[in-house]
Amino acid sequence: MHDTSKLFSARNCTCVFGHGKHRVTALNDLTFDIAEHEIVSLVGGSGCGKSVLAKVMLNLLKPTSGFFLYKGTAITDQRNHWREVQPVFQDPFSCFNQFFTIRSQLKSAFGIMKVKPSTGEIEERVDRALRAVNIVPSEIEGKYPFELSGGQMQRMLLARIFALRPKVLIADEPTSMVDACVRANILDYLMKLKKELGMTIVFITHDIGLAYYVSDRILVMHNGGIVEQGAPDDVALRPKNEHTVRLLEDIPDINREWLEKK
Ligand SMILES: Nc1ncnc2c1ncn2[C@@H]1O[C@H](COP(=O)(O)OP(=O)(O)O)[C@@H](O)[C@H]1O
Ligand SMILES: [Mg+2]
């Protein structure tokens, strides 16, 4: 029987785009598992396949060959899958409609649920979720996305996650468009999601320093493959693969202090 503590299981998962000389192998023979309640970071340079893997996890893309299973079975029902597995992307503005208030969009997000909470409960959960990301609900009352900064909008995306409480969060470079101060907050919210709601989190970043800070386990990707994986202390402090070493050299100075605290 399948071990149900494993939420995601990739077995020789390969994803190819294009043909002939335009052929790109975005994911190359990946085999790994992600257990419930883990924070796993996918780390790698630009173009190594992180976002393609995020899309496979969200069932927006199917592998060309091999298997990608959720709770031991292939993903068939997209809506059911999205009830449990929700994304936070790099550009929060692309995830909100400019013509509706933020609050109305946080409320309508509950439409994905099988059993929709009552109107009163939805209002309450939205308020609680906003406070979880340090926003006083009245601050955004009547506001539209264009009236907020990128950092505030990124927090709105996380508020959506706090409100909906999916089982799994796929966070694809959620901190790459915000300044260092907001970045630290977002990392703290991710850890809070795990601690308070037991959420399983896949955190995607090109910055192995951030991965070191938040994760239980790090998978290092290069050219569509996993080149090294393990506990953050092993991967970041005792790297074995040359690509991991290069990522460690590329950590911006501002994040380096986290590594050096050890
Ligand atoms: N829809 C697509 N069609 C063709 N090639 C794609 C597509 N999506 C991604 N790729 C290619 O797959 C590789 C991995 O991309 P991606 O996962 O976006 O990288 P990153 O690690 O920067 O997120 C890149 O070479 C990219 O150009
Ligand atoms: Mg990407």
Side-chain angles (χ1 to χ4, degrees), residues 34-89:
I34 292 179
E36 198 164 1
H37 310 305
E38 261 192 312
I39 300 190
V40 174
S41 289
L42 303 179
V43 190
S46 172
C48 74
K50 304 183 296 295
S51 292
V52 169
L53 183 52
K55 285 177 187 147
V56 170
M57 290 174 167
L58 288 158
N59 201 39
L60 295 167
L61 274 175
K62 292 275 187 199
T64 319
S65 63
F67 296 99
F68 193 83
L69 308 178
Y70 179 65
K71 291 184 188 163
T73 53
I75 306 157
T76 48
D77 186 320
Q78 186 68 84
R79 263 188 96 73
N80 265 336
H81 192 58
W82 285 350
R83 273 187 202 113
E84 301 203 355
V85 184
Q86 285 265 324
V88 164
F89 291 120

Side-chain angles (χ1 to χ4, degrees), residues 16-214:
V16 177
F17 294 108
H19 301 278
K21 66 177 189 323
H22 300 295
R23 189 181 157 95
V24 176
T25 304
L27 298 180
N28 191 3
D29 200 30
L30 297 184
T31 293
F32 65 88
D33 293 302
I34 292 179
E36 198 164 1
H37 310 305
E38 261 192 312
I39 300 190
V40 174
S41 289
L42 303 179
V43 190
S46 172
C48 74
K50 304 183 296 295
S51 292
V52 169
L53 183 52
K55 285 177 187 147
V56 170
M57 290 174 167
L58 288 158
N59 201 39
L60 295 167
L61 274 175
K62 292 275 187 199
T64 319
S65 63
F67 296 99
F68 193 83
L69 308 178
Y70 179 65
K71 291 184 188 163
T73 53
I75 306 157
T76 48
D77 186 320
Q78 186 68 84
R79 263 188 96 73
N80 265 336
H81 192 58
W82 285 350
R83 273 187 202 113
E84 301 203 355
V85 184
Q86 285 265 324
V88 164
F89 291 120
Q90 183 171 5
D91 176 8
F93 290 98
S94 68
C95 305
F96 281 89
N97 186 321
Q98 293 300 318
F99 300 105
F100 294 94
T101 63
I102 292 156
R103 190 174 180 93
S104 72
Q105 294 184 69
L106 289 175
K107 289 193 290 188
S108 61
F110 285 88
I112 186 123
M113 288 187 164
K114 219 171 206 155
V115 184
K116 216 171 139 181
S118 69
T119 314
E121 194 184 328
I122 289 177
E123 299 283 354
E124 206 183 293
R125 274 173 73 168
V126 167
D127 282 347
R128 239 184 298 147
L130 287 168
R131 290 200 190 93
V133 295
N134 293 330
I135 301 263
V136 180
S138 61
E139 264 178 70
I140 61 128
E141 195 55 52
K143 291 232 167 105
Y144 291 84
F146 66 86
E147 296 179 277
L148 268 64
S149 70
Q152 282 174 313
M153 284 304 291
Q154 199 55 269
R155 274 149 80 190
M156 290 305 123
L157 268 184
L158 283 165
R160 215 177 119 249
I161 299 296
F162 273 101
L164 294 181
R165 299 174 205 153
K167 208 173 169 65
V168 187
L169 169 63
I170 312 290
D172 190 355
E173 310 240 19
T175 65
S176 62
M177 286 170 70
V178 296
D179 62 40
C181 174
V182 176
R183 180 171 305 138
N185 283 334
I186 288 175
L187 297 180
D188 289 340
Y189 300 140
L190 290 180
M191 290 189 286
K192 189 166 159 186
L193 282 167
K194 177 187 158 159
K195 206 165 142 227
E196 291 177 13
L197 303 174
M199 214 169 275
T200 305
I201 300 172
V202 179
F203 176 61
I204 299 177
T205 179
H206 56 269
D207 186 336
I208 195 169
L210 300 185
Y212 179 76
Y213 183 65
V214 297

